[in-house]
Structures are given as structure tokens and as C-alpha cells.
Amino acid sequence: MSARNTSLRYGVVAMSFHWTIAALIIVNVVLGIWFVNFLERGDPTRGTVVSLHETFGILVLLLSLLRLGWRLMNPIPALPADFSPGKRMFARGTHYTLYALMILVPLIGWALASIPDRPLVLGLGTIPWPKIFYIAGLSADAKKVAAGIIAPSHIILAFLLFALAVGHLCAALFYHGMIRKDQILQRMVPGTDVTPEGVGRPSR
């Protein structure tokens, strides 16, 4: 299997980015719900969970930027030729929104992690990470105002990202897998066979 994308399917690099980022997003949503709703601030477990959440968030940001760069350098597999203009717009719009949120959500999370006076250290306290200097340099009162805006924005956009990702998966499994019965999902799954007929003779 090629490292680069082809007109029929994604390559190994794109697949690796896709599934790694998807797994990190799922885990990070669970971690975020866990420490926000079920761990008190004095609980020693909370610090560990928060550190993991911040670490995975920065990983999502970095991997998403690398994935975007890789996508810009590689042609992506074409949509099925029988897709209407509306379906094409919806499919492309969903992908662009997912990319935007995969970068925006952890970026806002980084801004939120820059507010507390504690050092920002990733990898369970082993990797010092810089704060966003503008946020870290705010006054105490300004930080309270910023936190009141940044925190809910981070949560709302994170759940929007998660909902879009779930919808994306459902479209691949049910619409493409059960209704159209094409090979769109297989294009992102290693070790599967993909043919022009299977994806509806795609064309740009």
C-alpha cells in the first residue's frame, strides 16, 4: 500500500493521521467530561487527568496541522461521480469543518491552559510547554473574563467536533456501507480492496 494518496484511496500516512487523531479526540472528550464533572479540584487524580487531557489536546493540534500539510501536498480520492452538487458541497463542507475544528478546539484549549499561574507541563509532568504569551500575560481580572469566554467556547466546540465526527462515521457505515453499498469507507481502512466500480467510478 502506498504512503501517498491515489485517485482511489488514501495512503498509509493519511490513514495513520486519520485514525490516530480520531482515537485521541474520543479519549480526550472522555477525559474532559471525567475531570470537569466527576473530579473535585482537590482530588489528586484530577491533576493527572488534566495533564493527560492537555497533552492529548496538543497532540491533536500538532497532528492535525501535519495532516493538513500532508493533504495539501497530496491529491485526495475523488467523490463518487453520481454525487449531486448538493451532496458534494455537503461532503466537502463537512470535511473542511472537521479540519477547522480539529485545529481550533485544541488551540482554544491551549489558550485556556495558559490562564492558570501553574506551569504548563505535558506528558504527566515531563515536558514543559510554552503558554500563549498574550493570555498568560493578562492581569488577574482580565484572566477571569477570558476564562469565562474561552472555557465555554472550548467545551461547545469540542462537543460540536465530536458530534460531527460521529456523524461522519455514521455516514460512512450506514449511508455508504448499507444504503449505497460502495467502498468509500474501505478507502480509509488498511488492508481492504478498493476498485473504481466500488466507489462509483469517482471523478472530480
mmCIF file of all heavy atoms in Angstrom, residues 39-66:
data_model
loop_
_atom_site.group_PDB
_atom_site.id
_atom_site.type_symbol
_atom_site.label_atom_id
_atom_site.label_comp_id
_atom_site.label_asym_id
_atom_site.label_seq_id
_atom_site.Cartn_x
_atom_site.Cartn_y
_atom_site.Cartn_z
ATOM 1 N N LEU A 39 -14.533 14.887 39.088
ATOM 2 C CA LEU A 39 -13.359 15.001 39.941
ATOM 3 C C LEU A 39 -13.323 16.376 40.599
ATOM 4 O O LEU A 39 -13.388 17.396 39.909
ATOM 5 C CB LEU A 39 -12.079 14.776 39.130
ATOM 6 C CG LEU A 39 -11.884 13.371 38.538
ATOM 7 C CD1 LEU A 39 -10.603 13.323 37.703
ATOM 8 C CD2 LEU A 39 -11.856 12.311 39.623
ATOM 9 N N GLU A 40 -13.234 16.381 41.910
ATOM 10 C CA GLU A 40 -13.143 17.643 42.642
ATOM 11 C C GLU A 40 -11.757 18.254 42.451
ATOM 12 O O GLU A 40 -10.782 17.562 42.152
ATOM 13 C CB GLU A 40 -13.401 17.398 44.135
ATOM 14 C CG GLU A 40 -14.768 16.817 44.456
ATOM 15 C CD GLU A 40 -15.896 17.792 44.153
ATOM 16 O OE1 GLU A 40 -15.624 19.022 44.185
ATOM 17 O OE2 GLU A 40 -17.018 17.337 43.893
ATOM 18 N N ARG A 41 -11.659 19.550 42.649
ATOM 19 C CA ARG A 41 -10.389 20.242 42.424
ATOM 20 C C ARG A 41 -9.294 19.753 43.364
ATOM 21 O O ARG A 41 -8.117 19.826 43.032
ATOM 22 C CB ARG A 41 -10.579 21.749 42.581
ATOM 23 C CG ARG A 41 -11.410 22.351 41.453
ATOM 24 C CD ARG A 41 -11.334 23.859 41.430
ATOM 25 N NE ARG A 41 -12.075 24.411 40.298
ATOM 26 C CZ ARG A 41 -11.588 24.556 39.070
ATOM 27 N NH1 ARG A 41 -10.338 24.192 38.832
ATOM 28 N NH2 ARG A 41 -12.315 25.064 38.103
ATOM 29 N N GLY A 42 -9.649 19.276 44.548
ATOM 30 C CA GLY A 42 -8.641 18.777 45.478
ATOM 31 C C GLY A 42 -8.251 17.331 45.264
ATOM 32 O O GLY A 42 -7.326 16.829 45.909
ATOM 33 N N ASP A 43 -8.903 16.670 44.355
ATOM 34 C CA ASP A 43 -8.613 15.262 44.079
ATOM 35 C C ASP A 43 -7.278 15.150 43.338
ATOM 36 O O ASP A 43 -7.111 15.738 42.279
ATOM 37 C CB ASP A 43 -9.746 14.669 43.232
ATOM 38 C CG ASP A 43 -9.668 13.163 43.118
ATOM 39 O OD1 ASP A 43 -8.554 12.614 43.151
ATOM 40 O OD2 ASP A 43 -10.725 12.520 42.966
ATOM 41 N N PRO A 44 -6.318 14.365 43.902
ATOM 42 C CA PRO A 44 -5.015 14.244 43.222
ATOM 43 C C PRO A 44 -5.118 13.616 41.833
ATOM 44 O O PRO A 44 -4.266 13.863 40.973
ATOM 45 C CB PRO A 44 -4.201 13.343 44.170
ATOM 46 C CG PRO A 44 -5.214 12.661 45.035
ATOM 47 C CD PRO A 44 -6.355 13.612 45.163
ATOM 48 N N THR A 45 -6.167 12.831 41.606
ATOM 49 C CA THR A 45 -6.354 12.219 40.285
ATOM 50 C C THR A 45 -6.654 13.267 39.241
ATOM 51 O O THR A 45 -6.311 13.106 38.057
ATOM 52 C CB THR A 45 -7.503 11.192 40.325
ATOM 53 O OG1 THR A 45 -7.234 10.234 41.349
ATOM 54 C CG2 THR A 45 -7.659 10.467 38.996
ATOM 55 N N ARG A 46 -7.274 14.368 39.663
ATOM 56 C CA ARG A 46 -7.669 15.416 38.712
ATOM 57 C C ARG A 46 -6.454 15.996 37.981
ATOM 58 O O ARG A 46 -6.497 16.211 36.765
ATOM 59 C CB ARG A 46 -8.436 16.518 39.438
ATOM 60 C CG ARG A 46 -8.934 17.633 38.508
ATOM 61 C CD ARG A 46 -9.601 18.747 39.303
ATOM 62 N NE ARG A 46 -9.939 19.879 38.453
ATOM 63 C CZ ARG A 46 -11.127 20.094 37.899
ATOM 64 N NH1 ARG A 46 -12.108 19.237 38.125
ATOM 65 N NH2 ARG A 46 -11.333 21.161 37.159
ATOM 66 N N GLY A 47 -5.375 16.241 38.717
ATOM 67 C CA GLY A 47 -4.184 16.803 38.096
ATOM 68 C C GLY A 47 -3.624 15.896 37.013
ATOM 69 O O GLY A 47 -3.201 16.361 35.950
ATOM 70 N N THR A 48 -3.636 14.591 37.271
ATOM 71 C CA THR A 48 -3.142 13.631 36.284
ATOM 72 C C THR A 48 -4.029 13.621 35.049
ATOM 73 O O THR A 48 -3.535 13.633 33.907
ATOM 74 C CB THR A 48 -3.100 12.215 36.890
ATOM 75 O OG1 THR A 48 -2.230 12.215 38.029
ATOM 76 C CG2 THR A 48 -2.605 11.200 35.873
ATOM 77 N N VAL A 49 -5.341 13.629 35.266
ATOM 78 C CA VAL A 49 -6.284 13.588 34.145
ATOM 79 C C VAL A 49 -6.202 14.877 33.327
ATOM 80 O O VAL A 49 -6.223 14.843 32.087
ATOM 81 C CB VAL A 49 -7.721 13.351 34.658
ATOM 82 C CG1 VAL A 49 -8.724 13.413 33.500
ATOM 83 C CG2 VAL A 49 -7.821 11.996 35.351
ATOM 84 N N VAL A 50 -6.087 16.004 34.010
ATOM 85 C CA VAL A 50 -5.958 17.287 33.307
ATOM 86 C C VAL A 50 -4.679 17.306 32.466
ATOM 87 O O VAL A 50 -4.681 17.759 31.315
ATOM 88 C CB VAL A 50 -5.972 18.464 34.303
ATOM 89 C CG1 VAL A 50 -5.584 19.772 33.607
ATOM 90 C CG2 VAL A 50 -7.352 18.603 34.931
ATOM 91 N N SER A 51 -3.587 16.803 33.034
ATOM 92 C CA SER A 51 -2.322 16.762 32.306
ATOM 93 C C SER A 51 -2.437 15.887 31.056
ATOM 94 O O SER A 51 -1.941 16.259 29.978
ATOM 95 C CB SER A 51 -1.199 16.234 33.206
ATOM 96 O OG SER A 51 0.024 16.170 32.506
ATOM 97 N N LEU A 52 -3.098 14.747 31.180
ATOM 98 C CA LEU A 52 -3.315 13.886 30.018
ATOM 99 C C LEU A 52 -4.185 14.585 28.975
ATOM 100 O O LEU A 52 -3.914 14.510 27.770
ATOM 101 C CB LEU A 52 -3.972 12.572 30.453
ATOM 102 C CG LEU A 52 -3.074 11.554 31.161
ATOM 103 C CD1 LEU A 52 -3.915 10.395 31.671
ATOM 104 C CD2 LEU A 52 -1.988 11.047 30.225
ATOM 105 N N HIS A 53 -5.230 15.261 29.450
ATOM 106 C CA HIS A 53 -6.134 15.982 28.551
ATOM 107 C C HIS A 53 -5.376 17.064 27.769
ATOM 108 O O HIS A 53 -5.544 17.200 26.553
ATOM 109 C CB HIS A 53 -7.269 16.596 29.365
ATOM 110 C CG HIS A 53 -8.301 17.313 28.554
ATOM 111 N ND1 HIS A 53 -9.249 16.660 27.808
ATOM 112 C CD2 HIS A 53 -8.533 18.640 28.367
ATOM 113 C CE1 HIS A 53 -10.022 17.536 27.204
ATOM 114 N NE2 HIS A 53 -9.604 18.756 27.515
ATOM 115 N N GLU A 54 -4.540 17.803 28.467
ATOM 116 C CA GLU A 54 -3.755 18.853 27.812
ATOM 117 C C GLU A 54 -2.738 18.251 26.834
ATOM 118 O O GLU A 54 -2.535 18.780 25.731
ATOM 119 C CB GLU A 54 -3.050 19.697 28.870
ATOM 120 C CG GLU A 54 -4.010 20.522 29.717
ATOM 121 C CD GLU A 54 -3.342 21.179 30.910
ATOM 122 O OE1 GLU A 54 -2.207 20.789 31.249
ATOM 123 O OE2 GLU A 54 -3.956 22.077 31.517
ATOM 124 N N THR A 55 -2.121 17.155 27.244
ATOM 125 C CA THR A 55 -1.131 16.502 26.383
ATOM 126 C C THR A 55 -1.768 15.992 25.101
ATOM 127 O O THR A 55 -1.263 16.232 23.988
ATOM 128 C CB THR A 55 -0.467 15.329 27.125
ATOM 129 O OG1 THR A 55 0.170 15.819 28.315
ATOM 130 C CG2 THR A 55 0.568 14.639 26.249
ATOM 131 N N PHE A 56 -2.890 15.284 25.230
ATOM 132 C CA PHE A 56 -3.570 14.753 24.043
ATOM 133 C C PHE A 56 -4.104 15.888 23.163
ATOM 134 O O PHE A 56 -4.124 15.773 21.934
ATOM 135 C CB PHE A 56 -4.708 13.822 24.453
ATOM 136 C CG PHE A 56 -4.239 12.543 25.093
ATOM 137 C CD1 PHE A 56 -5.097 11.783 25.870
ATOM 138 C CD2 PHE A 56 -2.946 12.094 24.934
ATOM 139 C CE1 PHE A 56 -4.675 10.601 26.457
ATOM 140 C CE2 PHE A 56 -2.507 10.915 25.516
ATOM 141 C CZ PHE A 56 -3.372 10.168 26.290
ATOM 142 N N GLY A 57 -4.529 16.986 23.800
ATOM 143 C CA GLY A 57 -5.020 18.121 23.031
ATOM 144 C C GLY A 57 -3.933 18.731 22.157
ATOM 145 O O GLY A 57 -4.158 19.027 20.976
ATOM 146 N N ILE A 58 -2.743 18.912 22.721
ATOM 147 C CA ILE A 58 -1.628 19.452 21.941
ATOM 148 C C ILE A 58 -1.228 18.472 20.836
ATOM 149 O O ILE A 58 -0.896 18.870 19.713
ATOM 150 C CB ILE A 58 -0.418 19.761 22.854
ATOM 151 C CG1 ILE A 58 -0.764 20.924 23.801
ATOM 152 C CG2 ILE A 58 0.814 20.072 22.025
ATOM 153 C CD1 ILE A 58 -1.020 22.243 23.096
ATOM 154 N N LEU A 59 -1.292 17.175 21.141
ATOM 155 C CA LEU A 59 -1.004 16.170 20.110
ATOM 156 C C LEU A 59 -1.995 16.268 18.952
ATOM 157 O O LEU A 59 -1.603 16.181 17.786
ATOM 158 C CB LEU A 59 -1.043 14.761 20.724
ATOM 159 C CG LEU A 59 0.217 14.282 21.434
ATOM 160 C CD1 LEU A 59 -0.033 12.934 22.098
ATOM 161 C CD2 LEU A 59 1.389 14.181 20.473
ATOM 162 N N VAL A 60 -3.273 16.442 19.283
ATOM 163 C CA VAL A 60 -4.291 16.599 18.237
ATOM 164 C C VAL A 60 -3.982 17.826 17.390
ATOM 165 O O VAL A 60 -4.079 17.782 16.156
ATOM 166 C CB VAL A 60 -5.703 16.701 18.851
ATOM 167 C CG1 VAL A 60 -6.725 17.142 17.797
ATOM 168 C CG2 VAL A 60 -6.125 15.363 19.446
ATOM 169 N N LEU A 61 -3.607 18.917 18.030
ATOM 170 C CA LEU A 61 -3.280 20.147 17.298
ATOM 171 C C LEU A 61 -2.104 19.926 16.349
ATOM 172 O O LEU A 61 -2.180 20.252 15.157
ATOM 173 C CB LEU A 61 -2.958 21.268 18.284
ATOM 174 C CG LEU A 61 -2.483 22.595 17.684
ATOM 175 C CD1 LEU A 61 -3.529 23.184 16.758
ATOM 176 C CD2 LEU A 61 -2.117 23.580 18.792
ATOM 177 N N LEU A 62 -1.025 19.360 16.854
ATOM 178 C CA LEU A 62 0.169 19.163 16.034
ATOM 179 C C LEU A 62 -0.087 18.172 14.900
ATOM 180 O O LEU A 62 0.303 18.416 13.747
ATOM 181 C CB LEU A 62 1.326 18.672 16.913
ATOM 182 C CG LEU A 62 1.811 19.644 17.996
ATOM 183 C CD1 LEU A 62 2.909 19.002 18.831
ATOM 184 C CD2 LEU A 62 2.303 20.941 17.384
ATOM 185 N N LEU A 63 -0.751 17.061 15.226
ATOM 186 C CA LEU A 63 -1.038 16.057 14.194
ATOM 187 C C LEU A 63 -2.005 16.599 13.144
ATOM 188 O O LEU A 63 -1.881 16.279 11.955
ATOM 189 C CB LEU A 63 -1.608 14.793 14.839
ATOM 190 C CG LEU A 63 -0.628 13.949 15.656
ATOM 191 C CD1 LEU A 63 -1.358 12.813 16.368
ATOM 192 C CD2 LEU A 63 0.483 13.390 14.778
ATOM 193 N N SER A 64 -2.965 17.423 13.569
ATOM 194 C CA SER A 64 -3.923 17.990 12.621
ATOM 195 C C SER A 64 -3.238 18.958 11.668
ATOM 196 O O SER A 64 -3.559 19.008 10.474
ATOM 197 C CB SER A 64 -5.062 18.693 13.369
ATOM 198 O OG SER A 64 -5.807 17.767 14.135
ATOM 199 N N LEU A 65 -2.282 19.733 12.184
ATOM 200 C CA LEU A 65 -1.528 20.638 11.313
ATOM 201 C C LEU A 65 -0.676 19.852 10.314
ATOM 202 O O LEU A 65 -0.605 20.196 9.128
ATOM 203 C CB LEU A 65 -0.648 21.561 12.155
ATOM 204 C CG LEU A 65 -1.394 22.622 12.976
ATOM 205 C CD1 LEU A 65 -0.433 23.331 13.928
ATOM 206 C CD2 LEU A 65 -2.091 23.625 12.074
ATOM 207 N N LEU A 66 -0.050 18.775 10.803
ATOM 208 C CA LEU A 66 0.730 17.918 9.905
ATOM 209 C C LEU A 66 -0.176 17.249 8.876
ATOM 210 O O LEU A 66 0.176 17.144 7.693
ATOM 211 C CB LEU A 66 1.473 16.856 10.716
ATOM 212 C CG LEU A 66 2.653 17.348 11.559
ATOM 213 C CD1 LEU A 66 3.170 16.215 12.447
ATOM 214 C CD2 LEU A 66 3.770 17.878 10.673
#
